[in-house]
Amino acid sequence: MAAAARINFFLNHTNPLNYKAAAHLRTDLRFQRRRPKTTSFCTRASAAPLHDESSAAGGSDPFVLTTPLYYVNAPPHLGSAYTTIAADAIARFQRLLGKKVIFVTGTDEHGEKIAAAAASNASTPAQHCDLISQSYISLWKQLDISYDRFIRTTDPKHEAIVKEFYSRVLANGDIYRADYEGLYCVNCEEYKDEKELLENNCCPTHLKPCVARKEDNYFFALSKYQKSLEETLATKPNFVQPSFRLNEVQGWVKNGLRDFSISRALVDWGIPVPNDSKQTIYVWFDALLGYISALSEDTEQPDLERAISSGWPASLHLIGKDILRFHAVYWPAMLMSAGLGLPKMVFGHGFLTKDGMKMGKSLGNTIEPNDLVQKFGSDAVRYFFLREVEFGNDGDYSEERFINIVNAHLANSIGNLLNRTLGLLKKNCQSTLAVDSSIAVEGTTFKDTVEKLVEKARVHYGDLSLSSACEAVLEISHTGNLYMDERAPWSLFKQGGAASEAAAKDLVIILETMRIIAIALSPVTPSLSWRIYGQLGYSKDQFDAATWSDTKWGGLKSGQVMAQPKPIFARIENPTEEENGKEAPKKAVKKQKLPQDKRAVEA
């Protein structure tokens, strides 16, 4: 929804104002509160009621999850790709459970920095937003992201929802005017405290001088919701996850909430404040409403209540930890003011580093997600980051580890098991299954072992423990490889007779295991899983219709014809092995440089 530079305003508590504690303001701040006249509109939120999550429970309610709305000052980076990959895996798992899912993503397109980025590329803000927003859509396609709604904050329906929401909060007496004077960083789009600035009043993030500004802004009375937020965090421990993020949020609230500015007088590129065309709504108060406006159908007249009835409150907001304060403090208070339900969970995940170091253009170690996907493929990228990063914590990327993990897990453990089994089936059984998988497994404990691991994966997916879910599925393939090596069906076939019949059953057992792996891993590697399913003789429609219940043992039937063996995930060439003088394996993924819009790269 915004670059890290934009969030210091809230994280450092320098700009938010508390009109009840004006004596604590800086000496360079002239503050005068002017409340609007209140009306009888939307008085139901005056007591800031808390909304019971159980009231929204029910099998027919959709599972609504969101990524941040990504800020379009520049093309997508690896951090935004990681968030979206994780959200997609969660959405795909929920669909496997048979739930109606509304997966929302999109772009945050207003603000002074957007206008500046457009000007630097000799384009209009609208043209710039179209270009960068399209780069997100393109990357999501490459990464197999199965979103249901892509909302842009420049959409007319979004503007209508924002204005209606603003009017509700205003009518509830929670918006007032005040003068603000201070040093402003254009790149951060925030006022700075002089104590945090470098020499010559330079912003510590952008190393550029801040400019003196005085503005007459509108403010949201966040401090009014101090007690309500404390109560929400105390009575609903799952509202913020992981638990250590909840502790952070409780600490912020306990230290006291300050009102914050929700308009800009000197920014033209934004949604005009209702009844005051001289000001635009501050980007965060605007963009957070994208989660609701996305629920509004394009064919209907934008209406806040209608959008709410289509799936709000959200089941899960998935965000980076740098924007946790916006989602876990400001957003719920805004919703309380408007009389709307709170999201059921806000999950703040960690950051990614490269080779143990923070990524940055100045360090020359950034990773372009487009390049990564084009070089290694979507399955490899999705699997590595979901398997190797403990969801919620920070994680690290190194190309050597990336290649080693992907080769070991996807090419060797999973891909090779399927390929050699299909090879044996073709050679000895004309690629046709001899018996039902339910009959083949009789007299062994193999089925019980697989079922326990499948249930383990299901629980981990449900708990958002994506790395552990991957590990459980990988254990299934390890179990299959061990069974294959112990049984050695290639030797049994040579013996003929009963031994050959037993070997044919062994192959059915392994292939049934691969069928289960294909479904259980499909939230993480959808393309790879389809390739597995296709080689087992199923159609794409059958794969798309599969549910988690299909992980139950017994899917493969006697007489089913398998496809010809073909590697589903060939090993990736490791440059380190070449440098060390080792014979490099056959290159699996051909690096392909796709054309990229030059303006998008430079934006």
Side-chain angles (χ1 to χ4, degrees):
M1 187 178 293
R6 297 175 62 225
I7 69 171
N8 295 331
F9 168 80
F10 295 98
L11 298 184
N12 296 326
H13 268 182
T14 56
N15 187 28
L17 305 177
N18 186 336
Y19 60 87
K20 296 179 181 178
H24 298 291
L25 300 174
R26 303 199 311 267
T27 56
D28 65 340
L29 175 65
R30 292 195 298 275
F31 178 82
Q32 182 180 2
R33 173 183 166 211
R34 296 191 295 277
R35 277 199 178 274
K37 295 180 180 180
T38 59
T39 70
S40 59
F41 176 63
C42 195
T43 56
R44 58 180 171 144
S46 58
L50 295 177
H51 297 264
D52 185 359
E53 292 179 10
S54 63
S55 64
S60 62
D61 290 331
F63 183 92
V64 178
L65 79 158
T66 72
T67 71
L69 304 190
Y70 300 108
Y71 204 48
V72 297
N73 61 311
H77 54 75
L78 188 59
S80 53
Y82 172 64
T83 309
T84 312
I85 290 169
D88 186 68
I90 295 166
R92 289 177 181 272
F93 172 70
Q94 292 295 329
R95 293 190 191 107
L96 284 176
L97 295 181
K99 295 183 182 179
K100 176 187 176 182
V101 172
I102 303 178
F103 173 15
V104 174
T105 187
T107 44
D108 174 7
E109 303 184 11
H110 288 134
E112 185 173 6
K113 192 159 57 173
I114 301 300
S120 68
N121 285 283
S123 65
T124 67
Q127 290 171 334
H128 173 85
C129 291
D130 287 344
L131 183 66
I132 303 300
S133 183
Q134 184 58 47
S135 72
Y136 277 92
I137 293 173
S138 176
L139 179 59
W140 293 171
K141 183 177 181 180
Q142 292 183 60
L143 284 169
D144 292 323
I145 305 300
S146 61
Y147 61 84
D148 298 289
R149 308 286 175 87
F150 190 99
I151 185 67
R152 299 178 58 184
T153 60
T154 49
D155 288 347
K157 70 175 183 180
H158 174 74
E159 180 173 344
I161 295 295
V162 169
K163 287 183 174 179
E164 186 177 351
F165 184 91
Y166 184 99
S167 296
R168 285 196 179 198
V169 177
L170 175 68
N172 200 44
D174 292 338
I175 294 177
Y176 60 91
R177 297 181 69 173
D179 292 325
Y180 192 96
E181 183 177 7
L183 294 170
Y184 191 81
C185 174
V186 176
N187 287 284
C188 292
E189 296 199 47
E190 64 161 327
Y191 285 95
K192 295 287 187 178
D193 191 323
E194 290 183 17
K195 293 183 294 184
E196 67 180 299
L197 298 179
L198 304 177
E199 189 177 353
N200 296 322
N201 291 328
C202 284
C203 168
T205 302
H206 297 96
L207 305 179
K208 295 181 179 180
C210 295
V211 296
R213 279 191 181 177
K214 178 181 179 181
E215 284 197 65
D216 171 21
N217 291 158
Y218 291 93
F219 288 79
F220 173 67
L222 178 65
S223 58
K224 175 180 174 181
Y225 295 92
Q226 170 94 32
K227 185 175 181 181
S228 296
L229 284 168
E230 289 177 347
E231 186 176 343
T232 296
L233 297 171
T235 59
K236 299 182 179 181
N238 289 330
F239 178 60
V240 177
Q241 289 293 311
S243 58
F244 53 87
R245 303 271 182 239
L246 173 63
N247 295 336
E248 290 180 44
V249 175
Q250 288 177 319
W252 295 334
V253 175
K254 184 179 180 180
N255 286 335
L257 299 179
R258 300 179 182 180
D259 302 349
F260 64 95
S261 169
I262 59 171
S263 75
R264 292 291 184 267
L266 302 177
V267 178
D268 294 329
W269 182 244
I271 298 175
V273 171
N275 302 319
D276 190 344
S277 59
K278 295 181 180 180
Q279 300 215 31
T280 55
I281 297 175
Y282 177 54
V283 288
W284 273 104
F285 200 89
D286 159 6
L288 287 165
L289 268 298
Y291 300 139
I292 293 177
S293 64
L295 301 177
S296 179
E297 298 289 349
D298 292 333
T299 57
E300 59 189 25
Q301 186 70 22
D303 176 82
L304 182 58
E305 283 295 339
R306 187 180 293 118
I308 291 296
S309 67
S310 298
W312 192 261
S315 306
L316 173 65
H317 285 324
L318 189 59
I319 60 169
K321 63 182 181 181
D322 55 339
I323 53 176
L324 181 61
R325 187 186 298 266
F326 293 100
H327 289 79
V329 179
Y330 302 99
W331 180 224
M334 290 162 54
L335 291 167
M336 290 176 185
S337 177
L340 303 180
L342 307 189
K344 297 175 185 177
M345 181 183 292
V346 176
F347 190 101
H349 66 73
F351 289 157
L352 298 177
T353 57
K354 183 176 185 291
D355 299 317
M357 298 176 63
K358 182 179 179 181
M359 286 185 279
K361 290 183 179 180
S362 61
L363 297 175
N365 68 342
T366 58
I367 304 171
E368 294 297 330
N370 285 288
D371 293 344
L372 206 60
V373 178
Q374 291 164 18
K375 185 176 182 180
F376 298 116
S378 64
D379 288 312
V381 174
R382 291 171 64 107
Y383 182 82
F384 176 81
F385 286 107
L386 296 184
R387 167 62 178 80
E388 287 303 292
V389 179
E390 190 67 37
F391 199 47
N393 296 327
D394 293 346
D396 187 66
Y397 168 88
S398 74
E399 183 166 302
E400 181 178 5
R401 180 158 180 78
F402 180 100
I403 293 174
N404 290 340
I405 289 294
V406 168
N407 280 342
H409 296 185
L410 301 186
N412 296 348
S413 185
I414 294 176
N416 188 49
L417 178 60
L418 175 63
N419 197 57
R420 62 176 176 153
T421 306
L422 288 176
L424 286 170
L425 190 73
K426 178 183 178 181
K427 180 179 180 180
N428 299 282
C429 305
Q430 294 76 51
S431 296
T432 305
L433 302 186
V435 296
D436 292 355
S437 56
S438 57
I439 296 175
V441 81
E442 289 177 353
T444 76
T445 60
F446 189 88
K447 173 185 172 184
D448 294 337
T449 301
V450 171
E451 287 180 340
K452 289 178 181 177
L453 290 171
V454 167
E455 176 60 15
K456 189 176 179 181
R458 185 193 67 78
V459 171
H460 285 314
Y461 275 127
D463 291 341
L464 306 186
S465 300
L466 303 179
S467 176
S468 297
C470 291
E471 180 62 29
V473 178
L474 188 66
E475 284 186 55
I476 298 175
S477 72
H478 290 335
T479 301
N481 277 292
L482 181 61
Y483 182 85
M484 184 76 133
D485 293 340
E486 290 178 344
R487 293 288 297 170
W490 52 89
S491 296
L492 295 176
F493 277 122
K494 293 178 181 178
Q495 298 176 28
S500 182
E501 292 178 2
K505 289 182 178 179
D506 290 336
L507 298 187
V508 174
I509 289 173
I510 297 299
L511 292 173
E512 175 72 356
T513 303
M514 293 306 306
R515 186 190 69 81
I516 292 171
I517 288 173
I519 298 172
L521 198 59
S522 63
V524 177
T525 58
S527 294
L528 174 64
S529 292
W530 154 235
R531 293 196 295 274
I532 295 173
Y533 225 61
Q535 290 207 8
L536 297 178
Y538 293 102
S539 69
K540 185 64 164 61
D541 287 343
Q542 287 174 306
F543 174 72
D544 291 339
T547 67
W548 191 263
S549 63
D550 291 314
T551 58
K552 184 179 180 181
W553 191 277
L556 293 180
K557 303 299 180 182
S558 173
Q560 189 163 332
V561 179
M562 304 289 101
Q564 296 301 301
K566 180 181 179 181
I568 55 166
F569 194 98
R571 182 180 167 86
I572 300 174
E573 182 178 312
N574 192 334
T576 304
E577 294 178 347
E578 288 183 311
E579 294 169 4
N580 292 337
K582 296 181 181 179
E583 182 180 353
K586 185 177 180 181
K587 191 169 183 179
V589 180
K590 183 179 179 181
K591 184 174 180 179
Q592 186 179 16
K593 196 71 176 178
L594 300 180
Q596 218 175 7
D597 192 304
K598 184 174 183 291
R599 286 165 61 196
V601 175
E602 295 175 347

